[in-house]
Every structure is written in C-alpha cells, then in structure tokens.
Amino acid sequence: MDVKRIENMVGGWFVGNFDPSVLRTHDFEVGYKFHPKGEKWDVHYHKRSVEITYLIRGKMMIQGRELTSGDIFTIFPYEVANPVFLEDCEVVIIKTPSVVNDKYTVPTEPGGEA
C-alpha cells in the first residue's frame, strides 16, 4: 500500500499525466477542489478534454444555471466554464483525456462576464 496526502498534490489534482500524482496516466485526471464563496475563477475552456464535475457541497452558477450539492455536470471541449461560487463549494473533477496545458482562459469584461 502507498499513502499520499492531498496537501502534497498540486492544486488538488491527484491522478493524471503529471507529477506528483498517485497514478500517472494519459487517460484521465482526477482532482478535489474547495472553492470559497465568491472566489474568482478563470473563465476558461478546454480544446481536447471533457470535464465532469461532481458538486459535493455548496451552490454555484455555471453557464447561467444554478447547481446544488449532488449535481454532476459535464463541460465538453470548447464549451466555456464560467463558475460563480454562491456558497463554499467542494467538488471532485474528472477530465479525460489528461492533456497538459489544455486550459485556455477567456478574457472577461470589467464586470466579470465573458
């Protein structure tokens, strides 16, 4: 058995094509994130990866839709992710495939809209 600590992973990502990881693979990535209420997060998209997010706890808006604990949503390549954290949120994210540098930031207007 091998035991690692999430604090030693980069940005909460613990499976994927990067170091450190508990499993290095090109097939997918898995990460855990905590987003405090009101956190500003880059509006972004991926060109190759599908991103599946499980909202464990909290309430957020993305693509104009309000999501709550227990919701699972999928963002497909070239779809813009524009999260707004209405409450403290805990999420688990799976991206497939694991492609290094496949995150593209979308410039936003001064009010925060893409």
Side-chain angles (χ1 to χ4, degrees):
M1 176 171 73
D2 186 27
V3 177
K4 307 273 190 209
R5 299 279 306 165
I6 194 72
E7 299 88 28
N8 297 328
M9 302 295 119
V10 177
W13 293 98
F14 58 94
V15 174
N17 186 28
F18 43 77
D19 282 317
S21 66
V22 298
L23 174 66
R24 187 155 188 171
T25 178
H26 294 276
D27 297 329
F28 62 98
E29 299 176 3
V30 181
Y32 164 82
K33 300 276 189 185
F34 172 80
H35 297 286
K37 177 181 177 178
E39 177 184 28
K40 301 297 181 204
W41 194 253
D42 286 340
V43 176
H44 69 281
Y45 65 94
H46 303 281
K47 291 183 179 180
R48 295 194 46 213
S49 296
V50 173
E51 188 171 82
I52 302 161
T53 302
Y54 166 36
L55 179 55
I56 298 169
R57 182 173 65 89
K59 186 187 306 182
M60 64 183 289
M61 294 278 296
I62 193 162
Q63 294 183 351
R65 187 162 177 188
E66 186 174 297
L67 302 170
T68 59
S69 300
D71 286 336
I72 301 168
F73 60 95
T74 304
I75 304 290
F76 296 95
Y78 291 95
E79 269 191 290
V80 173
N82 58 346
V84 176
F85 303 103
L86 303 172
E87 299 176 354
D88 289 349
C89 291
E90 290 181 79
V91 296
V92 170
I93 309 106
I94 300 168
K95 288 188 347 188
T96 183
S98 179
V99 179
V100 177
N101 298 321
D102 185 38
K103 182 177 180 180
Y104 300 88
T105 303
V106 176
T108 58
E109 296 298 320
E113 297 296 318

